[in-house]
Amino acid sequence: MVLNHMFEVMMIGLASNLDNAGVGISYGIRGIRIGKGANFIIASISFLMTLLSGITGTWLSLYIPSFVSRLVGAIVIVIVGIYVLYQPFIKKKMLENPSNRNLLQRILRQPEEADLDHSKTINFYEALILGAALGINALAGGFDAGVTHLNVIATSFAVGFFSFVLLGVTDYIGSKYITVKFDPLATILSGILLILIGIHQI
């Protein structure tokens, strides 16, 4: 049981951050550097958003039966997985109608827009904005951990850890070795993994 829970925690941490890999590679290709300080800020925001949504899920689970909690968590994370899979179609629509996008949407669709001053380096303020955009993906994972009685603290640390590692490593790899965009594949993998986690919990 403990190993099974740890596996779910790690999978939530990974699935919540696969988009970070796409963003990191996109940044690397464009020569936009994410320093360790900025990366830590982004990871910390993902950690906090996971923790807050996990606490909410835990609170909700106190008032509903255990099997209902797991069902709710599974349904939420599957719905989010389906939504993530739909992102490429949303992106295409938004590119056709750019006036319909706010700042967070623009950053999620075109990550280089987080570099507001075009300095090719993500500063403190830009890291806060990028962290908020990327941290949205962690909300469902945290909530799912809470309602299904996974360790919320461990899940939050897993999300923060994978955020820091994937964003840092892929930014470096993108700047050195990769000449094609990876973010569509990362989005698809993230959606599929979230759906599989939800199905596994039912």
Side-chain angles (χ1 to χ4, degrees), residues 129-170:
I129 298 174
L130 182 58
L134 294 177
I136 292 173
N137 292 340
L139 292 175
F143 180 81
D144 178 74
V147 297
T148 57
H149 304 289
L150 293 175
N151 189 313
V152 172
I153 299 295
T155 303
S156 301
F157 272 111
V159 169
F161 171 78
F162 278 111
S163 172
F164 187 86
V165 171
L166 286 177
L167 195 56
V169 169
T170 55

Side-chain angles (χ1 to χ4, degrees), residues 48-202:
L48 290 174
M49 293 179 78
T50 306
L51 183 63
L52 290 175
S53 61
I55 291 172
T56 301
T58 300
W59 174 81
L60 180 63
S61 71
L62 298 175
Y63 299 95
I64 56 179
S66 179
F67 77 93
V68 176
S69 295
R70 292 192 67 84
L71 183 60
V72 169
I75 291 173
V76 167
I77 209 164
V78 167
I79 290 174
V80 171
I82 293 172
Y83 174 76
V84 169
L85 283 176
Y86 189 60
Q87 288 301 298
F89 301 99
I90 297 176
K91 179 177 181 178
K92 181 179 179 181
K93 184 177 180 180
M94 288 185 171
L95 288 174
E96 294 171 353
N97 301 281
S99 61
N100 294 335
R101 296 179 291 165
N102 59 37
L103 179 59
L104 289 182
Q105 288 176 323
R106 293 203 307 272
I107 291 172
L108 287 171
R109 309 299 165 228
Q110 295 176 287
E112 66 274 13
E113 293 207 22
D115 184 22
L116 300 176
D117 59 5
H118 306 291
S119 65
K120 297 294 184 179
T121 301
I122 298 299
N123 61 34
F124 175 79
Y125 174 67
E126 293 164 346
L128 291 176
I129 298 174
L130 182 58
L134 294 177
I136 292 173
N137 292 340
L139 292 175
F143 180 81
D144 178 74
V147 297
T148 57
H149 304 289
L150 293 175
N151 189 313
V152 172
I153 299 295
T155 303
S156 301
F157 272 111
V159 169
F161 171 78
F162 278 111
S163 172
F164 187 86
V165 171
L166 286 177
L167 195 56
V169 169
T170 55
D171 180 50
Y172 175 80
I173 292 174
S175 67
K176 297 293 183 181
Y177 307 110
I178 296 179
T179 58
V180 296
K181 293 186 69 175
F182 176 72
D183 47 316
L185 177 59
T187 298
I188 293 171
L189 289 176
S190 178
I192 291 173
L193 190 53
L194 286 170
I195 291 172
L196 290 176
I197 292 170
I199 292 173
H200 174 71
Q201 291 178 348
I202 296 176

Side-chain angles (χ1 to χ4, degrees), residues 29-55:
I29 291 172
R30 293 172 175 83
I32 300 174
R33 302 302 301 148
I34 304 174
K36 291 181 180 179
N39 196 3
F40 182 78
I41 291 170
I42 294 167
S44 297
I45 292 173
S46 291
F47 169 84
L48 290 174
M49 293 179 78
T50 306
L51 183 63
L52 290 175
S53 61
I55 291 172

